[in-house]
Amino acid sequence: ISPFKGKTHSTETKKLISEKISGINNHNSKRVGKYDKNGNLLETFDTLTIATKAIGYKSKQSLAEACLNNLERKGFFWKYL
């Protein structure tokens, strides 16, 4: 039986847990590379979320699709590293 059964974490504890497992601390995060049309690596990002914000997209879906299918977005090609 779990000692937390029926109990909830405080808002502060939830925030700390979230910070510990988000972004580059998340084991599922993938690094993303930004490439020019000649295949030269121009820039790397620690996570897809960071790359998405850097290019001004609101959703990660389009950039994730580009990484998986070697598509062009914002004049560059994107790949998971």
Side-chain angles (χ1 to χ4, degrees):
I1 297 177
S2 172
F4 286 106
K5 186 172 184 171
K7 299 178 183 177
T8 60
H9 292 293
S10 68
T11 304
E12 183 179 334
T13 301
K14 288 178 185 178
K15 183 178 177 185
L16 288 173
I17 292 169
S18 177
E19 289 172 358
K20 292 283 185 183
I21 62 171
S22 64
I24 60 175
N25 296 322
N26 186 334
H27 68 280
N28 289 324
S29 291
K30 297 179 182 177
R31 292 177 51 90
V32 176
K34 176 181 172 182
Y35 294 84
D36 65 13
K37 294 180 182 186
N38 296 323
N40 300 313
L41 179 63
L42 302 175
E43 195 172 355
T44 60
F45 300 92
D46 288 328
T47 67
L48 183 64
T49 301
I50 293 170
T52 302
K53 289 179 182 178
I55 64 170
Y57 276 13
K58 293 181 181 179
S59 172
K60 297 183 288 186
Q61 184 176 355
S62 180
L63 196 56
E65 180 185 15
C67 289
L68 292 172
N69 299 308
N70 198 29
L71 301 174
E72 187 177 346
R73 294 290 188 268
K74 294 276 187 172
F76 300 97
F77 289 91
W78 302 84
K79 296 179 185 176
Y80 288 121
L81 304 176

